[in-house]
Amino acid sequence: MHKKHIITKTTVVFMEVLTLSLFCFALLICVILDASVLYALAAGLVIFCAYAKIKKHSFKSIIKMIFGGIKTSKNVLIVFLIVGMLTASWRASGTIPFIISSAVKLINPSVFVLMTFLLCCGVSFLMGTSFGSSATIGVICMTMAYSMNINPVIAGGAMLSGVLFGDRCSPVSTSALLISELTKTDIFTNIKNMLRTALVPFILTCAMYAILGFSAGDGGETPDLNAMFSGEFNLHWFSVIPAAVILILSLLKVKVKLAMLASIASALIIGITVQDVEILEFFKIMILGFEAETVEIKHMIDGGGLVSMLKSAAIVCLSSGYSGIFSATGLLNSLKEKTSALSKKATPYGATMITSVFTSLISCNQTLAIILTHQLCDGCEKDENKAAINLENSAVVISPLVPWSIAGAVPLASAGAPTASLLFAGFLYILPIYSLIAALIKSRKDKKDEQNNQLYS
């Protein structure tokens, strides 16, 4: 009887390893062929469904597993679509052109790298998307870097660090919302914790880019963005109102979806009254995205729209479907036991960070890395708010450092930065390393306090 139990357990472990290996193989093929990660994720869904079927689950129950997983991310999916409309409306209302043309006046060659980081932080915090930020302020910063003879590798690293800063802690960030949904925590509490834990890494990153800026290049001609954008937009200060609405409502802790819809409404009014956009044209832009008529600024400002977020929404759908299958079949249980044991030695954050490295390497996208890391480390940290910040300080910023992950590859490609820029994405390295050191110090202090209490009790 005991022998039969061992054989059965061995067979189960073999099936789990085989299933996960097939999924990793599908991802590897997509990387090699430079194909969309959606193909690998679709193949993964078939593979995991087959595993569930082998485990004696009916087709009906498997469908329930998938939709149960997707249901947990329904708010994230809705926000994804609203974000697409938001970024398009900000383009049509002149919000993004006004902010960018005003901000770049602060740049000069000696502080270019530092200002690139800070500008990308600011814009990404407002937009809540690394993809949208890299396609706007990222493009402009890289265009200026080339024209001013600034080292594009260093400038690209500063740009990537900046756009991921906002992607991590913006009130309209889909990754922040996803983690709040997974951990059942309040997004505004999470943002407060993210800003607190990122303070020292942020200062260190600023110091790093300030030093690198002196050796990054010798300067050159700065493009006149104000003149370029003025040909298409009325750069009136009213245009900043949609961004101000997001900030004010977020500070008042208004629900994210309502804050974004209010911003879109204000952008609609500005677009019609200030930019002379017809109302039907504005709604078309929100669906299909903005297209500039001026050729010189098309690569800087085109994009956004509900349609632009469909691929990201599909990635979230498929990845969330996985989570339902994983929970019901126990596919990751043996791995969860290992992460639980690791958390006792390396702290819950240490286990989360190490796990996120491996999930980022195999997932090729930030969303799946977050979901897999959460599932594998669920229970390592009993405090839900701490579990949320552990994910924010690991999977969110580690995933973009993987060269074949779309989390970093897409922002670099859309901004025109070289892949080698990953080496200079300082914030993405400093934050998890600093968080690990802080967790280890706190763990050692807690153990020492516990020993002292036992000694005097």
Side-chain angles (χ1 to χ4, degrees):
M1 186 78 173
H2 179 65
K3 185 176 179 181
K4 185 177 180 182
H5 173 73
I6 294 173
I7 293 171
T8 303
K9 187 174 181 180
T10 303
T11 304
V12 169
V13 171
F14 172 76
M15 285 170 57
E16 290 174 354
V17 171
L18 178 62
T19 301
L20 292 171
S21 297
L22 287 171
F23 174 56
C24 292
F25 180 71
L27 287 167
L28 180 62
I29 292 297
C30 279
V31 171
I32 293 172
L33 298 178
D34 195 25
S36 171
V37 71
L38 279 173
Y39 294 117
L41 294 176
L45 189 63
V46 173
I47 292 166
F48 297 135
C49 285
Y51 174 82
K53 188 63 183 171
I54 292 170
K55 293 273 285 186
K56 308 299 183 183
H57 291 278
S58 66
F59 283 115
K60 185 177 180 180
S61 65
I62 293 171
I63 296 298
K64 283 185 177 179
M65 293 175 201
I66 294 170
F67 280 99
I70 294 173
K71 189 177 179 180
T72 62
S73 299
K74 68 176 186 292
N75 284 333
V76 180
L77 293 169
I78 294 169
V79 169
F80 258 104
L81 301 179
I82 297 175
V83 164
M85 294 189 288
L86 178 75
T87 56
S89 69
W90 281 18
R91 287 168 165 88
S93 64
T95 303
I96 292 174
F98 179 84
I99 291 172
I100 291 172
S101 60
S102 300
V104 294
K105 294 173 185 176
L106 304 172
I107 293 180
N108 65 64
S110 62
V111 294
F112 179 85
V113 177
L114 174 59
M115 288 308 301
T116 292
F117 172 62
L118 294 175
L119 285 175
C120 289
C121 283
V123 173
S124 65
F125 184 81
L126 289 171
M127 296 180 68
T129 163
S130 58
F131 288 9
S133 302
S134 60
T136 51
I137 187 65
V139 169
I140 290 165
C141 286
M142 290 310 300
T143 301
M144 293 179 69
Y146 285 112
S147 67
M148 297 169 68
N149 300 318
I150 304 295
N151 188 326
V153 175
I154 296 175
M159 181 278 300
L160 187 63
S161 283
V163 298
L164 263 299
F165 174 88
D167 183 73
R168 169 181 172 270
C169 63
S170 169
V172 293
S173 165
T174 48
S175 66
L177 185 67
L178 174 63
I179 288 175
S180 72
E181 292 287 334
L182 291 173
T183 57
K184 295 178 173 60
T185 51
D186 176 56
I187 188 170
F188 295 107
T189 301
N190 291 346
I191 289 171
K192 184 174 71 175
N193 290 333
M194 279 187 268
L195 294 174
R196 175 179 55 80
T197 57
L199 180 60
V200 173
F202 179 80
I203 293 170
L204 292 174
T205 304
C206 287
M208 169 187 162
Y209 289 134
I211 295 168
L212 285 173
F214 290 110
S215 59
D218 55 4
E221 185 180 352
T222 304
D224 187 355
L225 293 178
N226 194 70
M228 293 170 68
F229 282 126
S230 293
E232 181 109 7
F233 301 96
N234 179 8
L235 299 177
H236 196 283
W237 68 266
F238 280 179
S239 299
V240 83
I241 289 175
V245 168
I246 280 285
L247 284 177
I248 293 168
L249 293 183
S250 296
L251 289 172
L252 295 174
K253 295 187 177 182
V254 174
K255 288 184 178 180
V256 173
K257 285 180 283 190
L258 292 177
M260 288 195 291
L261 290 173
S263 180
I264 290 172
S266 65
L268 173 62
I269 296 169
I270 300 297
I272 294 170
T273 58
V274 177
Q275 306 299 340
D276 295 326
V277 181
E278 293 182 4
I279 187 166
L280 291 178
E281 179 64 21
F282 196 94
F283 283 110
K284 180 183 175 182
I285 288 169
M286 286 200 296
I287 303 299
L288 302 178
F290 181 82
E291 289 188 20
E293 295 178 1
T294 309
V295 177
E296 289 79 13
I297 64 170
K298 285 183 73 68
H299 68 292
M300 300 182 194
I301 201 67
D302 280 9
L306 187 149
V307 172
S308 71
M309 300 301 291
L310 292 180
K311 183 177 178 180
S312 298
I315 289 173
V316 173
C317 270
L318 289 170
S319 301
S320 300
Y322 291 177
S323 65
I325 296 174
F326 295 158
S327 297
T329 62
L331 175 60
L332 302 179
N333 283 353
S334 58
L335 290 174
K336 282 185 70 173
E337 291 174 6
K338 291 180 172 58
T339 57
S340 180
L342 180 61
S343 70
K344 294 173 183 176
K345 295 179 180 179
T347 73
Y349 174 76
T352 305
M353 190 191 81
I354 293 168
T355 302
S356 70
V357 171
F358 289 102
T359 58
S360 296
L361 287 171
I362 67 168
S363 63
C364 299
N365 72 90
Q366 189 187 63
T367 300
L368 184 54
I370 291 169
I371 291 174
L372 284 175
T373 303
H374 171 257
Q375 289 235 322
L376 288 169
C377 298
D378 190 25
C380 290
E381 176 57 72
K382 303 304 179 186
D383 188 316
E384 291 176 342
N385 287 318
K386 290 181 180 178
I389 199 63
N390 286 348
L391 284 170
E392 294 286 3
N393 292 348
S394 58
V396 173
V397 293
I398 289 173
S399 181
L401 293 174
V402 177
W404 52 84
S405 172
I406 62 172
V410 170
L412 289 176
S414 61
T419 304
S421 295
L422 289 171
L423 299 172
F424 290 90
F427 183 74
L428 308 187
Y429 293 99
I430 295 171
L431 178 63
I433 293 171
Y434 172 81
S435 300
L436 178 61
I437 293 171
L440 291 171
I441 291 173
K442 187 178 184 304
S443 176
R444 184 173 295 181
K445 183 179 179 296
D446 289 344
K447 286 180 181 178
K448 188 176 288 187
D449 290 342
E450 186 179 344
Q451 289 172 354
N452 290 336
N453 290 336
Q454 290 175 351
L455 185 65
Y456 291 107
S457 61

